Amino acid sequence: MEPVALDPRVAAGTRRQLEAWRAALDAGAQRLGWKIGFNPPAVMERLGIGAPVVGHLTTASAVVDGGEHSLAGTTSARVEPEVAIQVGGQAAADGWRVAALAPSLEVVDVDRPPSDLEDIVATNIYHRAVVLGQAGAPDRGRRGEGVLPSLGGQGVLSVDGEAVHRFDLAATATDPRETIDVVARTLAACGGSLRVGDWIIAGSLTEQVEVAPGDSVALELGSLGSVAVRLSA
């Protein structure tokens, strides 16, 4: 696998971010995986980048499904519905494999515009928290081939029981293998590396939803299942 030629702002920001990530691991956080940011084509065009950017996930920001996350200190808290991808083994012929898929929610704090792209990437692309739903692992067919749950059906993002976004998952989700490839190549270009077992949240499936303390957010993703989080002050 050849590293990608990254935008200089993205490359510099990712290297700085990986330094902070390594410091967090040294301080006791555990590796969880990665995140995709600025994935909508219109956003990439506005920022002048040819691919989404990559952030990191650790256990320091992980919230259990149905658990609570405090919005203390946030300026503009928002939630993003996402597909989470668990990285499987690497096959020489066709790249990384997908081990499992799950619904996920990311809480972000959009505290400034992305005009300083390097610094936004360096500070982990607005990340506050991640919630992973129950993973759907491949079913084994008669030939021993893994068949993942379908990225199809209707997705519903709700706040306090009221649907705020309904969407066709097949039309909005990115091919998981493409997402893994973007992350693997970005990390390789910046001195990092992907590992089997890493989770990747693959970028928002809808527009971000503004949230406030007291809100309860739930995501249903067709055959992938559901995930929820409560937000407190």
Side-chain angles (χ1 to χ4, degrees):
M1 179 189 67
E2 294 295 326
V4 292
L6 296 178
D7 180 291
R9 300 166 297 172
V10 174
T14 305
R15 292 188 183 99
R16 287 170 54 194
Q17 181 201 133
L18 289 175
E19 291 177 2
W21 168 72
R22 293 184 184 103
L25 297 183
D26 288 343
Q30 296 179 23
R31 178 180 182 135
L32 183 58
W34 310 96
K35 58 166 280 183
I36 288 287
F38 300 146
N39 55 297
V43 174
M44 289 191 286
E45 182 178 0
R46 186 165 67 248
L47 294 174
I49 56 178
V53 297
V54 173
H56 68 267
L57 306 173
T58 72
T59 54
S61 67
V63 179
V64 297
D65 184 10
E68 184 176 290
H69 174 68
S70 171
L71 297 181
T74 58
T75 300
S76 182
R78 303 178 187 183
V79 166
E80 298 179 351
E82 310 195 27
V83 173
I85 305 159
Q86 190 175 39
V87 178
Q90 190 173 20
D94 56 1
W96 294 90
R97 298 191 183 281
V98 179
L101 297 171
S104 66
L105 293 167
E106 184 183 17
V107 183
V108 296
D109 183 20
V110 186
D111 57 352
R112 52 196 156 141
S115 52
D116 186 350
L117 183 59
E118 177 183 333
D119 197 58
I120 295 295
V121 174
T123 52
N124 209 22
I125 322 163
Y126 304 128
H127 180 73
R128 285 275 305 195
V130 62
V131 192
L132 298 177
Q134 183 175 355
D139 293 326
R140 296 294 170 182
R142 286 178 296 177
R143 297 181 180 179
E145 297 174 347
V147 179
L148 288 161
S150 171
L151 281 177
Q154 185 181 63
V156 182
L157 179 68
S158 302
V159 178
D160 294 335
E162 181 176 347
V164 293
H165 282 299
R166 296 181 184 273
F167 53 94
D168 180 354
L169 183 56
T172 55
T174 303
D175 185 326
R177 292 168 298 180
E178 293 180 9
T179 298
I180 295 174
D181 188 64
V182 167
V183 174
R185 290 178 180 274
T186 299
L187 294 176
C190 297
S193 61
L194 198 60
R195 288 185 185 173
V196 173
D198 282 352
W199 282 97
I200 301 170
I201 54 174
S204 190
L205 296 163
T206 69
E207 294 180 356
Q208 297 170 331
V209 174
E210 294 186 18
V211 288
D215 287 344
S216 293
V217 183
L219 172 65
E220 297 179 10
L221 280 188
S223 62
L224 295 190
S226 61
V227 65
V229 67
R230 302 187 310 275
L231 302 171
S232 63

